[in-house]
Each structure stands twice: as structure tokens, then as C-alpha cells.
Amino acid sequence: MVSLTYLSHSSWQITTENHSIVIDPFIEGNPNAPVQVGDIKADYIIVTHAHGDHLGSSLQIAENCGSTIIANFEIATWCAGQGYKAHSMHIGGSFAFPFGRVKLTPAFHGSSFPDGRYGGMPTGALVFVDGKIIYHTGDTGLFGDMKLIGEMNPIDVALVPIGDNFTMGIEDALKAVELIGPKRVIPMHYNTFDVIAADPVEFVARAEKQGTQGQVLAFGESIDL
Ligand code: NI
Ligand code: MN
């Protein structure tokens, strides 16, 4: 049994019988975060890119929990250099962790650290856990290879940004859903800041019209997959 909790923005927690994995834990400084950094328990932290709203509170969580940070080579090496456990990988590569396999996917975006340091190429992540496949696209614009990713990996849940400006907006995210063909889609990366205001209910209604089940999760809400 796997459960998925929406921590707002692009932050997620995946909980299995024996493991807790967080993705892009932007908690400190996030006006919509439903939890405090100190409340988060995680064995692993997946970071899709180095922007402050994705790297977020990763180091504090790793400090509190002794978590291993999974990220591209540049981010993982930087975290390891600060004394944290990190597993370095890169786009197209996968690795079997104790909780399941993670494969990094392309994302069209940037990935500098808050101090301007180069954070490598931005990524998305496929997480294969307890027989389910979760596709966190990361921050990205629309790209045609989403179709290939969906064809090769039957996605149970796609997590896609809809906030526009920095990532896909609703129109492009709907096209992404068509390309990926997931069983279910959940929107993310909206309404955290004024510049990414978007209506997740409109997105889900239109995704369902296209034939894909969609769901808006409240900040802090969990679902079982
Ligand atoms: Ni970003
Ligand atoms: Mn972002």
C-alpha cells in the first residue's frame, strides 16, 4: 500500500509500509505548507532541481532525519560536500533503492541554486513503488517525449505543474496529460505566489473531459494509490 500526500507547491510525500520519501520539500518560506519542517520524517528526499522552491527544506530534513538526498550529479555532489548523505544520478538513469526504483527524466527549465551556483540539468522523476508508477514532472515546459515516457511506463499518477509563467500553464498541462496518458493526474505548482495563480478545479474538469481521471488535493491531503 502506497499513500501520497500533497504538501503544496511541488512538494509530495510518498509513504509505504517501511519508507517515507519526500519530493521537492519546499516547506520553510512556503505560505501554503501544511506542516512544519520538524514534522517531516523521510528516509529519502528526491530533489528535481536546485531552485529554492524545490531544494527547499531538504537539508534541514536531512539534518533532522539522516535522510539520503537523491538528485542529479550536481545537486547530490553539493549536498554530499556539506556532509549530507546523497545519491547522485542523472537524466535517463535509474537506480533501485530499498523503497523502489527512481528514474530521472528530462525537464525543460533551469536549475541554479539560490546563490546562483550551477545546479545541473533540471529533472523530473519516475518513482516505481509497490507496483505503482508515479511521474513527478518537475518544473517543466511541455515536451513531446512525454509521450515516450508514458508509453514506456504506464503511469498511475502524473503530478504536473499548471501555474504557468515558470512552467506549463493549464493549456500545455492538458496536452501533457494527453501525451503521458496517466490513469490519474493531479495538478501542482499553482497559487503559491501570485505569478503562478491558476485554477486546479478547471484543470481537472478539463482533464476529465479529455478522458483522464483528475483530482485536486488540498494542502496536506493524502490519498491511497
Ligand atoms: Ni524551478
Ligand atoms: Mn518551481
Side-chain angles (χ1 to χ4, degrees), residues 49 51 53-54 109-110 139 166-167 189:
H49 64 291
H51 287 166
D53 58 322
H54 296 262
H109 193 64
D139 275 4
F166 297 113
T167 67
H189 211 271

Side-chain angles (χ1 to χ4, degrees), residues 5-203:
T5 304
Y6 188 36
L7 300 178
S8 78
H9 202 58
S10 293
S11 310
W12 299 87
Q13 181 160 21
I14 299 170
T15 311
T16 68
E17 201 181 328
N18 298 312
H19 296 282
S20 165
I21 304 104
V22 290
I23 307 178
D24 287 357
F26 175 40
I27 308 300
E28 195 85 55
N30 171 355
N32 294 331
V35 293
Q36 307 280 322
V37 176
D39 298 334
I40 294 183
K41 300 269 176 289
D43 312 292
Y44 292 89
I45 304 167
I46 300 171
V47 180
T48 64
H49 64 291
H51 287 166
D53 58 322
H54 296 262
L55 179 65
S57 308
S58 295
L59 297 188
Q60 288 159 269
I61 295 166
E63 182 83 46
N64 295 343
C65 305
S67 338
T68 299
I69 296 166
I70 301 169
N72 73 20
F73 174 82
E74 291 79 3
I75 295 170
T77 303
W78 180 83
C79 293
Q82 321 239 352
Y84 297 97
K85 285 191 274 178
H87 181 101
S88 157
M89 49 198 300
H90 234 304
I91 294 169
S94 74
F95 185 82
F97 294 91
F99 63 85
R101 185 170 286 275
V102 173
K103 184 173 192 176
L104 296 186
T105 61
F108 284 83
H109 193 64
S111 180
S112 51
F113 282 89
D115 67 1
R117 183 187 300 259
Y118 175 61
M121 295 282 283
T123 70
L126 289 166
V127 184
F128 303 79
V129 59
D130 282 2
K132 303 289 181 183
I133 308 179
I134 300 165
Y135 177 24
H136 186 299
T137 65
D139 275 4
T140 187
L142 179 65
F143 58 93
D145 282 353
M146 285 176 166
K147 184 173 170 63
L148 188 60
I149 292 169
E151 276 173 7
M152 293 182 69
N153 308 278
I155 308 292
D156 291 283
V157 183
L159 309 173
V160 302
I162 63 162
D164 216 343
N165 194 74
F166 297 113
T167 67
M168 299 185 282
I170 288 178
E171 297 300 331
D172 286 9
L174 287 166
K175 187 68 187 179
V177 171
E178 186 189 316
L179 295 177
I180 298 165
K183 288 204 184 82
R184 168 158 48 169
V185 64
I186 305 175
M188 63 177 180
H189 211 271
Y190 59 86
N191 293 354
T192 318
F193 315 112
D194 290 345
V195 76
I196 58 168
D199 181 359
V201 174
E202 179 201 336
F203 169 74

